[in-house]
Amino acid sequence: MSDIVICECFARDGLQHEPVMLPLATKIALIDRFSEMGLTRIEATSYSNPKVIPQFADASEVLGGIQRRPGVFYKATCANVRAVERALIDSDKGIGANEISLLVSATDSHSLKNLKRTRADQWKNIADMVVAASGQYRLVGTISMAFGCPFEGRVSESEVLRDVEKFSNAGVQLVALGDTTGMAVPAATQRLFAAVISEFPQVVPVAHFHDSRGTGMVNYLAAYESGVRYFDCSMGGVGGHPSKVKYGGGFTGNVCTEDWINLLESMGVNTGVDLQRMLDASAYCESVLGRPLHSKVALSGLNPLLESNEKPAN
């Protein structure tokens, strides 16, 4: 049993950033590699409108082609009721996701930019989606811009906590706080997650941070120290937002899976990940995108002291 749960987001949050459509077989191979390395949560695809995000027009085919492993949650992002209906059709065929995510933004400006809805309208949308899901999935709620917004600046922590409460009241088990454009600092990270853990013990908090300003790792460590055990990452640190939707400017990639796992294992935290398979998957991710990615571990290798962690000191 691992001490931590990492959701690998390369196949969805990562690929949504890419303008080039990857072949179906490659996407399936990616997801299978992630499960083979020991990850128990994988963001597999999105039931997005193909006209908006063509990268996921093959969502059903991807879910139908992967080699499913017992105990693994394969997540699909759903933006509206129509997306949930598509998920249900696939579930009826035996090829569906077993976890779906619901998204709200902490600010109206970002909600209108990213979802084309006000916050109030999106909450109504989420209520309809929960009803449509009819208890068939583990639900994950994500609050984007929880630590700051490029359009509105500071975000009220009390407002974020009210959003967590709304998700909980809707029957959502996991709630992710999103540092969508890398504005969080460790003190704010610890404070907000500690409040979630204290006020909503029935909720499993998830950290979903972007490394836009190089603060992702220190914020994840702060979240871990506050009691968070679920983290979203992406191989090579890729992703951030749809390729045709820009906000925040500059680099917006996710926290890098390889680097975060290396740090955790170096601290003696059991991630449940086969480290050699992780490195192989990392190289494969670079090969399918055809460029070097952002992992420091991919360049420098695992911490050499990891091997000594397994041996008693003399």
Side-chain angles (χ1 to χ4, degrees), residues 142-246:
T142 298
I143 304 169
S144 298
M145 301 296 174
F147 295 88
C149 174
F151 309 116
E152 297 187 20
R154 295 189 182 276
V155 169
S156 165
E157 291 183 3
S158 59
E159 186 67 29
V160 173
L161 292 173
R162 281 192 288 271
D163 284 347
V164 174
E165 184 176 24
K166 287 180 182 179
F167 271 130
S168 179
N169 290 341
V172 176
Q173 300 98 319
L174 278 66
V175 178
L177 303 187
D179 183 25
T180 314
T181 57
M183 295 188 181
V185 295
T189 299
Q190 284 191 318
R191 185 171 61 246
L192 191 50
F193 275 116
V196 171
I197 291 168
S198 173
E199 296 182 29
F200 308 102
Q202 72 279 17
V203 166
V204 176
V206 181
H208 182 104
F209 282 31
H210 292 177
D211 199 32
S212 311
R213 294 170 177 82
T215 56
M217 294 284 281
V218 293
N219 283 318
Y220 267 16
L221 186 58
Y224 179 81
E225 291 176 342
S226 73
V228 176
R229 294 296 180 265
Y230 279 61
F231 296 86
D232 291 348
C233 304
S234 180
M235 282 284 181
V238 300
H241 56 66
S243 60
K244 295 181 180 179
V245 180
K246 305 294 184 185

Side-chain angles (χ1 to χ4, degrees), residues 12 60 185:
R12 203 287 301 177
S60 298
V185 295

Side-chain angles (χ1 to χ4, degrees), residues 10-27:
F10 184 97
R12 203 287 301 177
D13 199 10
L15 292 186
Q16 73 165 351
H17 199 73
E18 300 299 316
V20 178
M21 178 82 169
L22 291 188
L24 172 63
T26 300
K27 294 180 182 179

Side-chain angles (χ1 to χ4, degrees), residues 11-281:
R12 203 287 301 177
D13 199 10
L15 292 186
Q16 73 165 351
H17 199 73
E18 300 299 316
V20 178
M21 178 82 169
L22 291 188
L24 172 63
T26 300
K27 294 180 182 179
I28 292 170
L30 282 165
I31 294 169
D32 287 344
R33 283 175 180 261
F34 301 150
S35 63
E36 288 166 1
M37 64 186 253
L39 295 170
T40 56
R41 291 187 68 223
I42 299 169
E43 194 171 51
T45 190
S46 172
Y47 287 105
S48 304
N49 183 338
K51 294 180 181 178
V52 178
I53 308 179
Q55 185 70 259
F56 306 118
D58 57 1
S60 298
E61 290 80 5
V62 168
L63 288 168
I66 58 177
Q67 296 294 317
R68 294 170 186 265
R69 288 177 172 255
V72 176
F73 282 91
Y74 297 93
K75 182 171 73 164
T77 297
C78 294
N80 49 44
V81 172
R82 173 56 184 149
V84 176
E85 291 171 348
R86 290 174 60 194
L88 288 165
I89 291 171
D90 283 348
S91 293
D92 288 343
K93 296 176 182 176
I95 62 168
N98 50 4
E99 184 177 280
I100 62 173
S101 59
L102 315 171
L103 179 66
V104 70
S105 177
T107 68
D108 265 319
S109 298
H110 178 255
S111 186
L112 289 167
K113 179 79 169 178
N114 197 45
L115 300 171
K116 306 297 187 291
R117 293 186 183 88
T118 64
R119 273 175 44 83
D121 286 342
Q122 180 61 5
W123 275 114
K124 292 177 184 176
N125 183 43
I126 287 172
D128 292 340
M129 293 165 68
V130 170
V131 171
S134 62
Q136 293 198 39
Y137 306 97
R138 184 166 78 171
L139 301 177
V140 184
T142 298
I143 304 169
S144 298
M145 301 296 174
F147 295 88
C149 174
F151 309 116
E152 297 187 20
R154 295 189 182 276
V155 169
S156 165
E157 291 183 3
S158 59
E159 186 67 29
V160 173
L161 292 173
R162 281 192 288 271
D163 284 347
V164 174
E165 184 176 24
K166 287 180 182 179
F167 271 130
S168 179
N169 290 341
V172 176
Q173 300 98 319
L174 278 66
V175 178
L177 303 187
D179 183 25
T180 314
T181 57
M183 295 188 181
V185 295
T189 299
Q190 284 191 318
R191 185 171 61 246
L192 191 50
F193 275 116
V196 171
I197 291 168
S198 173
E199 296 182 29
F200 308 102
Q202 72 279 17
V203 166
V204 176
V206 181
H208 182 104
F209 282 31
H210 292 177
D211 199 32
S212 311
R213 294 170 177 82
T215 56
M217 294 284 281
V218 293
N219 283 318
Y220 267 16
L221 186 58
Y224 179 81
E225 291 176 342
S226 73
V228 176
R229 294 296 180 265
Y230 279 61
F231 296 86
D232 291 348
C233 304
S234 180
M235 282 284 181
V238 300
H241 56 66
S243 60
K244 295 181 180 179
V245 180
K246 305 294 184 185
Y247 45 79
F251 176 74
T252 59
N254 291 274
V255 173
C256 179
T257 303
E258 304 96 309
D259 297 354
W260 179 230
I261 288 176
N262 175 77
L263 176 58
L264 288 169
E265 292 283 351
S266 299
M267 293 165 52
V269 177
N270 176 22
T271 64
V273 170
D274 182 314
L275 298 181
Q276 185 55 56
R277 286 180 182 268
M278 178 189 77
L279 294 178
D280 293 342

